[in-house]
Amino acid sequence: MILWPILLLLVGTAADDKLGFYAFSVRDIHGDIVSLDKYKGKVSLVVNVASFCGYTDDHYEKLAKLQDILGPTGKFNVLAFPCNQFGQQEPGSSEAILKFAQRKKANFPIFEKVDVTGPNSSDAWSFLINSSQTKPNWNFWKYLVDHEGHIVEVWAPWDDLFEQYDTIKGVVDKAVAADGGKDRGGEL
């Protein structure tokens, strides 16, 4: 009888490992629960964003451009998670954050404000940190997640996103090839 709960635990762990990052559910900016499984099969650039950071303008511009260029492949998404943990630079409500992101021409999914580190961090962010062994210590850390939910690369806010384009495009190309599709994305 004791083996049954252990077997269930092992089966559940195997299922979570298979989905990786996409095994989790989060809340979007409107408070609705979203299963990240809907992004399985796509490459995700997961970013902790802030409205009042010195990196904000440059990052929002480049994230939107990446979404414009690689989004049409059907195999890429920027996933933005507002966070107020670093310098208190995302203090606003969900409504204020959404309005700000719209003014910045954000064309990618934005989720509810979360803690990305510490005891109250979201399960999805705990997975990113544990899998990559890289913990964000400021705004605009970027985790590149492949189409199967595995961490491929992590970049700090001071790393120029466009310098990482070839790496990101290469991972997107693998996702396109795995689906047997044709890349419809453009060049930087």
Side-chain angles (χ1 to χ4, degrees):
M1 286 299 220
I2 280 191
L3 292 177
W4 182 250
I6 293 171
L7 180 60
L8 284 176
L9 179 64
L10 291 174
V11 169
T13 301
D16 290 348
D17 287 344
K18 186 173 181 177
L19 290 174
F21 176 72
Y22 302 120
F24 301 97
S25 291
V26 295
R27 289 193 181 274
D28 68 16
I29 195 72
H30 305 291
D32 298 324
I33 295 174
V34 175
S35 172
L36 293 175
D37 183 56
K38 77 183 260 179
Y39 299 104
K40 187 167 176 26
K42 298 180 181 185
V43 174
S44 297
L45 187 63
V46 184
V47 186
N48 64 316
V49 299
S51 299
F52 300 105
C53 178
Y55 293 113
T56 300
D57 291 340
D58 181 62
H59 276 76
Y60 264 94
E61 178 184 330
K62 289 178 178 176
L63 292 169
K65 186 162 185 170
L66 274 178
Q67 186 67 44
D68 281 342
I69 294 167
L70 296 173
T73 64
K75 296 296 176 186
F76 177 79
N77 280 295
V78 170
L79 303 179
F81 289 82
C83 177
N84 194 40
Q85 286 185 285
F86 308 111
Q88 305 301 300
Q89 295 177 342
E90 189 68 279
S93 66
S94 289
E95 183 178 308
I97 292 167
L98 181 58
K99 284 181 181 178
F100 176 84
Q102 289 169 338
R103 284 194 309 273
K104 291 293 180 187
K105 301 189 181 351
N107 53 356
F108 42 80
I110 300 175
F111 296 91
E112 191 171 72
K113 186 168 25 176
V114 296
D115 281 356
V116 298
T117 64
N120 297 321
S121 68
S122 78
D123 292 340
W125 276 87
S126 292
F127 172 83
L128 293 171
I129 292 167
N130 292 333
S131 294
S132 68
Q133 295 298 299
T134 305
K135 181 179 170 181
N137 59 6
W138 199 247
N139 306 304
F140 294 99
W141 279 80
K142 295 158 292 295
Y143 293 76
L144 185 62
V145 179
D146 72 11
H147 63 285
E148 295 179 335
H150 304 112
I151 309 302
V152 176
E153 194 69 60
V154 180
W155 295 293
W158 46 86
D159 295 327
D160 187 314
L161 192 53
F162 284 174
E163 290 179 11
Q164 314 311 323
Y165 178 78
D166 289 341
T167 300
I168 298 167
K169 178 77 164 76
V171 177
V172 171
D173 289 345
K174 288 180 185 175
V176 169
D179 194 32
K182 185 174 181 179
D183 183 355
R184 297 178 304 272
E187 293 301 317
L188 194 69

